[in-house]
Amino acid sequence: MATSLFPPGASDVLYVIDLSNYVLRAYHAISELHAPSGEPTHAVHGMVNMLDRLLRTQKPQLLAVAMDSGRETFRKEIYPEYKANRPPSPPDLRQQLQRCEQIVAARGLPIFKQAGVEADDLIATLVERTLAMNLRVVIAAADKDLMQLVSPRVLLWDTLRNKVFGPPEVEERFGVRVEQVGDLLGLMGDSSDNIPGVPHIGPKTAKDLLNQCGTLAGVYDHLDEIKSKAVRKTLSEHREQAFLSRRLVELKRDCPIQCDVESLRPGKPNDTELTRIYAELGFIRQLNLLEPSSPLPSANSTASSLPAATPAPKLDPKLTTIFHEADLNRLVELARTTKQLALETFTTEIQRTAEIVGIALLAGPEEVFYLPVGHRYLGVPQLLGSEPIRRILGPLLADPSIRKRAYDLKRCAVDLSSFGLNLQGFDFDVKLSSYLLDPDGSHELTAVVSAELGVQLPARATLLHPSRGQRLDASELPIDIAARQLTSEVTHTAALFERLEPRLADVGLVPLLREMELPLAQLLAELEGVGVLIDTSKLALLGKRCELLLADLEKRAHALAGHEFNVNSPRQLETVLFDEFKLKPLKRTKTSRSTDHETLESLADEHPLPALILELRQYSKLKGTYIDALPLLVRPKTGRVHTRWEQAVAATGRLSSIDPNLQNIPIRTELGRDIRAAFVAPPGHVLVSADYSQIELRVLAHLSNDQVLLEAFGTGQDIHTRTAMEIFELGADEVTREHRTRAKAVNFGVIYGQGDSGLAKSLGISRAEAGSFIAAYFRRHAGVQRFMNETLESARAGEAVRSLLGRRRLVPDISSGNRAKRLAAERIAMNMPIQGTAADLLKLAMLALRTPVTAGTKMILTVHDELVFEVPEGEVEEAEAKIKHTMESVYALKVPLVVDVGHGGNWKDAH
């Protein structure tokens, strides 16, 4: 069971904030913000939001703030090279640290700062003293050195990741007990602090040594018992260095500080001073949280667009089910007074003909409303008709000045549009907020409510499937049951706004939510309504052709096996490959030898049957997923297929398409291209395709400032040819097709953090040869090498990486003792800034093209780096020019963005 924080408001709990470390993390994690005067504020903003959240949620009775006083500490006397590799703090960081200290002092919070020691030492001393006073401690920090202090009565709380470390979590992270962490750190060393450690002793070796010998001293007492000769040798040669490193990581627990219960009680805030500071910084939200008597800045402040705080909703408001116009009018009047509306929609589950069943609406904390719309069962009460609902509720939903909040605003907009209602004024989305905070986490409403509010919210599926074999349509659900479910969801959604919005602000993600993801959600709702036209007759012909092809492949498989067998049966295929052909199985499941895609690819060089089965599976999958399925998904009312676009799926920020997935139709195979030919333009129109060329490599050039990449893209040179010239040391006229193919694999391998093993596999060469290609690449692309190294160091320091526009991804396994997890985290860290930025640029392009470039142009699809439009035949030339210009100028990189544009009567021909 995960360790949780001590109960809020406990009188025997001291909260200690490592201010210096927190501000440093916020400085690197949050996109740049500035006060109206131009003063940098992003780290200050993150610190203030963290502090506000801590005070609001934990209600600490005892609190202390620890700060570093300077670079000169007693550790420098022990080891002059301590932290010698750290550059001086940037001036804007020092300025923000001073601002943070001013704010903390004005808040009346005790500050501990002392020359010659670090904040960690002050925290260790505070822990030692308060434990002697029979208090418990929560350390608000993420520094691994502080994990030496953790115990059942001392917890470490990483507020940026909202993760609590007790002894079990520390042991899980390091693989050793808390009391061994100092020895572990001493053995490993720390490059960020320039603590030498023992060369070649990494996390796993250090952990194994301590699990075997107990302590650092024990390691040296039992040196002769260590099996590895190389480990014994390096330990023996660096004994003095090991114990020096252990002294450097040891926390000083006897700093001469005044520490008693009374000195740890927060004092009264100086609202006058806080008002002055917040006004100078443009922190309007914080100003609004001060006492009403505090003077506020003028309304024309550049930061005045920040939303004011609103009271958290009651989690048990009065429920009103709307059967009469009077109740609907009362809801509308309340929403126009509060200027906000939380909502949830409920529809039937049939995708092509889904109809709205009910709407839950919350405009204030006292009362929640349920509007039944499409309940149909024996004895159902008289419902309001569509006319009064559209007349009374429609203008409120369409009013952008009323801030709309929901778990999934796009879905709500799509559901409401099916009833003729237009949803505008997207303000906050729980699903998107959860996704931005941790894109790898679960974003289901039940999961978010459980994680953030500690409430087990029943899933809708349990209402519609009450017992085995029984399945209800949503319209058959009694109104009172649907009302309880939907109003509980909308109430918790509103509560999650209060929980998640400050956390988004803490890490600088509010602009990304409000300026990109929410407008995009509105655009995607519109795209879902437009859909795409499918020529079902083309698919029918393609299906017949595919059946003949599959039958032929099956016959060829039987001929290779020497007998008939079920080519779709993994067990029968297993028998043929491994028992009859005696091929070597590469993987095993619990019950059999694997015949998965990876296994068949590996065996393809040894026998022709695996390659043929792969081909058969590919055609069979395309036939079932697209050729057979697409005609069944055509919506009767529109004659089109309407995919669902999802923002909160891919951790890199890429959009996803489901029901059906239109992004996985291959363009490199003939069958895939023929399926795309069935996506057609309506009469009098053509499809225009606009595709970013090599956008990820261009982003890499910008981020890395690599001179070779900048020159190649700046002069319009083919980037894969240029890379081949660099790797193989050739002139442009000497580069062959094979050279270019290998260079292309290296280029994209670098983006995805691919090592020599992965590159060797993709090119069919030895690991040594692949390693030589990668080494040659980094020798000639020093900027890329530097960028990758700096990205990894930044990730190890803050455990998160960012795109150019601030999108982040957590990489908690970046320091894992598990090698596979660590390497996977390193690949994510290197790839995320590149792929995340590419995803963001496409989203910017979509938003820039939301307003049609010509009167008849409609955006209908987005696929990876491509946008597809329906354009009237007479507007093609104008539309193509404007689309290309808009996409290429959406963001200024150090190299040109290039867009390839084409058109045709169908999607295939548009390429």
Side-chain angles (χ1 to χ4, degrees):
M1 184 175 178
T3 302
S4 57
L5 288 172
F6 303 128
S11 61
D12 66 335
V13 177
L14 168 68
Y15 286 80
V16 185
I17 299 171
D18 183 353
L19 190 69
S20 300
N21 182 263
Y22 191 90
V23 173
L24 180 64
R25 291 181 74 198
Y27 177 83
H28 289 292
I30 299 175
S31 300
E32 284 193 15
L33 298 171
H34 294 87
S37 66
E39 178 182 342
T41 61
H42 50 290
V44 185
H45 194 262
M47 186 282 296
V48 169
N49 278 300
M50 181 277 292
L51 185 59
D52 285 347
R53 179 155 53 91
L54 186 150
L55 296 173
R56 182 178 66 252
T57 60
Q58 303 309 311
K59 300 176 175 59
Q61 303 300 303
L62 304 172
L63 191 142
V65 176
M67 295 186 67
D68 292 330
S69 63
R71 293 173 67 91
E72 296 302 319
T73 72
F74 71 94
R75 291 180 178 84
K76 281 273 191 181
E77 298 174 9
I78 299 172
Y79 183 58
E81 288 78 23
Y82 177 67
K83 292 190 178 181
N85 56 354
R86 286 197 183 181
S89 297
D92 61 331
L93 173 59
R94 293 197 297 272
Q95 183 181 13
Q96 292 186 77
L97 267 169
Q98 291 168 2
R99 276 294 197 184
C100 289
E101 187 173 3
Q102 290 175 5
I103 291 170
V104 169
R107 295 293 296 259
L109 306 178
I111 299 176
F112 291 84
K113 183 177 178 182
Q114 193 171 99
V117 296
E118 298 177 54
D120 289 0
D121 301 308
L122 296 169
I123 292 170
T125 301
L126 285 164
V127 168
E128 194 80 5
R129 300 277 188 87
T130 51
L131 287 178
M133 292 186 276
N134 205 29
L135 301 176
R136 295 176 291 173
V137 184
V138 174
I139 305 170
D143 192 336
K144 63 181 181 295
D145 293 338
L146 291 172
M147 292 185 183
Q148 299 176 72
L149 303 173
V150 167
S151 75
R153 292 172 59 202
V154 180
L155 306 179
L156 187 140
W157 178 24
D158 182 348
T159 55
L160 279 179
R161 293 167 56 210
N162 198 29
K163 181 167 183 179
V164 179
F165 289 85
E169 288 75 18
V170 173
E171 186 164 349
E172 180 185 3
R173 171 165 178 174
F174 292 112
V176 298
R177 300 185 308 277
V178 172
E179 58 268 25
Q180 296 174 300
V181 168
D183 290 330
L184 182 90
L185 298 175
L187 278 166
M188 290 165 44
D190 186 340
S191 59
S192 64
D193 286 344
N194 203 33
I195 295 175
V198 178
H200 312 303
I201 300 292
K204 184 179 185 305
T205 304
K207 177 192 72 173
D208 292 344
L209 288 169
L210 292 173
N211 286 334
Q212 178 184 343
C213 304
T215 64
L216 179 63
V219 169
Y220 280 96
D221 288 343
H222 298 86
L223 199 59
D224 293 340
E225 300 171 23
I226 295 171
K227 293 180 180 179
S228 169
K229 183 178 179 181
V231 172
R232 281 201 315 272
K233 185 173 185 293
T234 192
L235 283 169
S236 178
E237 291 175 351
H238 298 91
R239 178 189 183 103
E240 185 177 341
Q241 190 167 296
F243 283 98
L244 168 65
S245 300
R246 181 65 181 88
R247 288 179 64 196
L248 292 172
V249 300
E250 182 72 28
L251 298 177
K252 182 176 175 62
R253 305 185 188 218
D254 57 353
C255 298
I257 57 174
Q258 175 65 32
C259 175
D260 55 49
V261 171
E262 287 309 311
S263 67
L264 297 172
R265 293 194 192 282
K268 189 177 187 330
N270 184 338
D271 285 348
T272 302
E273 180 67 1
L274 285 171
T275 299
R276 180 189 67 79
I277 296 171
Y278 289 158
E280 288 178 359
L281 297 177
F283 287 4
I284 302 303
R285 186 174 184 274
Q286 281 71 29
L287 282 166
N288 288 333
L289 291 172
L290 293 175
E291 293 297 323
S293 58
S294 302
L296 295 178
S298 61
N300 63 0
S301 166
T302 58
S304 62
S305 60
L306 289 171
T310 53
K314 291 167 58 178
L315 292 183
D316 57 346
K318 173 189 171 186
L319 168 59
T320 295
T321 302
I322 298 175
F323 294 108
H324 307 288
E325 289 189 27
D327 287 328
L328 190 56
N329 278 313
R330 189 158 53 82
L331 162 72
V332 170
E333 183 180 348
L334 181 59
R336 293 207 175 277
T337 300
T338 61
K339 293 292 184 183
Q340 62 187 41
L341 183 69
L343 68 154
E344 285 294 334
T345 55
F346 195 29
T347 65
T348 55
E349 289 187 308
I350 303 170
Q351 185 208 358
R352 290 193 304 158
T353 57
E355 296 179 354
I356 198 159
V357 173
I359 312 169
L361 304 130
L362 179 71
E366 302 299 328
E367 189 173 13
V368 62
F369 296 82
Y370 180 68
L371 175 61
V373 175
H375 288 269
R376 297 183 181 89
Y377 56 86
L378 188 64
V380 68
Q382 180 67 39
L383 306 181
L384 274 178
S386 59
E387 188 280 328
I389 291 175
R390 292 178 182 133
R391 171 170 45 85
I392 298 170
L393 186 61
L396 179 77
L397 295 176
D399 187 346
S401 72
I402 307 299
R403 301 189 300 269
K404 311 303 191 310
R405 296 164 184 168
Y407 162 68
D408 185 346
L409 279 165
K410 178 185 69 67
R411 177 179 52 78
C412 289
V414 171
D415 293 346
L416 291 167
S417 68
S418 70
F419 194 72
L421 296 169
N422 177 23
L423 185 65
Q424 296 292 325
F426 285 27
D427 178 68
F428 191 81
D429 189 301
V430 167
K431 187 176 186 179
L432 292 179
S433 299
S434 170
Y435 169 72
L436 288 175
L437 286 167
D438 183 4
D440 290 294
S442 173
H443 314 299
E444 293 296 323
L445 179 59
T446 51
V448 180
V449 169
S450 175
E452 298 294 339
L453 303 176
V455 174
Q456 298 305 311
L457 188 68
R460 293 186 188 184
T462 60
L463 304 179
L464 301 175
H465 306 271
S467 62
R468 183 173 296 179
Q470 185 179 5
R471 178 188 177 93
L472 297 176
D473 185 79
S475 63
E476 299 173 303
L477 206 61
I479 288 175
D480 61 331
I481 294 176
R484 284 198 301 272
Q485 175 72 21
L486 266 288
T487 55
S488 177
E489 288 181 11
V490 79
T491 304
H492 286 94
T493 291
L496 284 167
F497 166 75
E498 294 298 324
R499 180 81 174 180
L500 297 177
E501 199 270 346
R503 290 182 55 200
L504 288 167
D506 281 354
V507 289
L509 289 170
V510 170
L512 199 64
L513 175 70
R514 297 197 184 281
E515 296 168 20
M516 178 181 287
E517 296 297 347
L518 287 174
L520 187 69
Q522 289 186 286
L523 173 56
L524 293 175
E526 295 165 9
L527 282 188
E528 288 188 22
V530 172
V532 60
L533 192 62
I534 302 291
D535 186 335
T536 55
S537 62
K538 278 189 178 180
L539 289 174
L541 292 172
L542 194 57
K544 291 178 182 177
R545 197 178 95 202
C546 202
E547 286 174 5
L548 295 174
L549 179 61
L550 287 169
D552 179 63
L553 288 171
E554 188 170 357
K555 285 181 182 177
R556 289 166 57 193
H558 294 164
L560 286 171
H563 60 82
E564 291 189 359
F565 69 100
N566 184 352
V567 293
N568 296 312
S569 167
R571 299 291 74 78
Q572 292 187 34
L573 178 62
E574 174 190 4
T575 299
V576 172
L577 293 178
F578 305 126
D579 296 332
E580 297 176 17
F581 292 169
K582 305 300 181 184
L583 299 177
K584 184 178 179 181
L586 304 180
K587 293 193 289 189
R588 291 184 179 271
T589 66
K590 289 183 179 179
T591 58
S592 62
R593 294 158 292 183
S594 176
T595 57
D596 65 6
H597 184 90
E598 185 181 6
T599 298
L600 294 182
E601 272 194 334
S602 299
L603 295 174
D605 292 336
E606 301 180 34
H607 196 281
L609 181 59
L612 192 146
I613 294 294
L614 283 173
E615 187 178 4
L616 189 149
R617 285 181 181 178
Q618 181 189 39
Y619 287 132
S620 180
K621 182 177 180 180
L622 288 174
K623 182 176 185 296
T625 305
Y626 297 109
I627 298 172
D628 296 341
L630 284 174
L632 302 176
L633 295 172
V634 173
R635 194 171 293 177
K637 288 183 181 178
T638 65
R640 290 171 168 251
V641 168
H642 299 258
T643 188
R644 281 168 49 202
W645 300 104
E646 294 292 338
Q647 293 162 268
V649 175
T652 57
R654 292 278 187 186
L655 294 173
S656 298
S657 162
I658 59 174
D659 298 330
N661 182 351
L662 301 183
Q663 297 188 323
N664 275 5
I665 304 172
I667 196 171
R668 291 186 176 86
T669 67
E670 182 182 358
L671 185 59
R673 289 190 293 272
D674 288 344
I675 293 172
R676 286 178 173 229
F679 289 69
V680 297
H685 293 69
V686 298
L687 296 187
V688 170
S689 166
D691 196 355
Y692 277 116
S693 172
Q694 300 172 333
I695 188 171
E696 290 179 344
L697 288 169
R698 294 174 189 273
V699 168
L700 175 61
H702 175 88
L703 294 174
S704 68
N705 205 32
D706 183 85
Q707 294 306 304
V708 175
L709 293 180
L710 293 178
E711 181 187 339
F713 282 123
T715 59
Q717 188 176 14
D718 178 78
I719 192 63
H720 303 312
T721 298
R722 179 59 183 268
T723 299
M725 292 166 60
E726 299 293 336
I727 292 177
F728 302 110
E729 299 183 358
L730 300 170
D733 56 344
E734 298 175 289
V735 174
T736 66
R737 184 175 181 179
E738 178 66 18
H739 287 134
R740 187 182 182 279
T741 298
R742 293 189 170 193
K744 183 176 180 180
V746 174
N747 274 331
F748 287 106
V750 167
I751 288 176
Y752 293 105
Q754 193 176 51
D756 53 7
S757 177
L759 183 62
K761 187 175 180 181
S762 67
L763 289 176
I765 59 179
S766 70
R767 286 185 62 176
E769 190 175 7
S772 70
F773 290 169
I774 293 173
Y777 179 93
F778 283 121
R779 278 198 305 272
R780 304 302 291 267
H781 292 79
V784 175
Q785 176 80 80
R786 183 173 58 252
F787 167 70
M788 294 296 184
N789 290 340
E790 289 174 355
T791 300
L792 288 176
E793 284 302 312
S794 176
R796 292 185 186 110
E799 298 186 345
V801 283
R802 296 248 178 183
S803 74
L804 190 60
L805 277 72
R807 184 180 305 279
R808 72 171 193 162
R809 189 171 181 186
L810 303 175
V811 279
D813 290 329
I814 197 75
S815 301
S816 172
N818 181 310
R819 184 174 183 273
K821 286 184 177 181
R822 186 174 69 254
L823 292 177
E826 288 177 354
R827 286 193 292 272
I828 289 171
M830 288 186 284
N831 169 249
M832 169 60 194
I834 303 163
Q835 203 169 49
T837 298
D840 288 343
L841 294 180
L842 184 81
K843 289 179 176 180
L844 288 179
M846 291 180 70
L847 293 174
L849 290 165
R850 185 179 181 185
T851 301
V853 294
T854 69
T857 297
K858 283 184 188 174
M859 188 188 304
I860 61 168
L861 283 178
T862 172
V863 181
H864 306 307
D865 303 323
E866 175 187 8
L867 298 178
V868 182
F869 303 81
E870 279 179 3
V871 181
E873 290 176 346
E875 300 174 9
V876 172
E877 186 176 351
E878 179 187 3
E880 285 189 339
K882 288 183 176 179
I883 290 167
K884 180 177 175 66
H885 173 74
T886 300
M887 291 178 69
E888 290 182 342
S889 59
V890 75
Y891 194 94
L893 296 181
K894 296 170 186 172
V895 297
L897 283 171
V898 174
V899 174
D900 298 323
V901 183
H903 67 270
N906 59 63
W907 192 10
K908 175 186 177 182
D909 291 346
H911 279 270

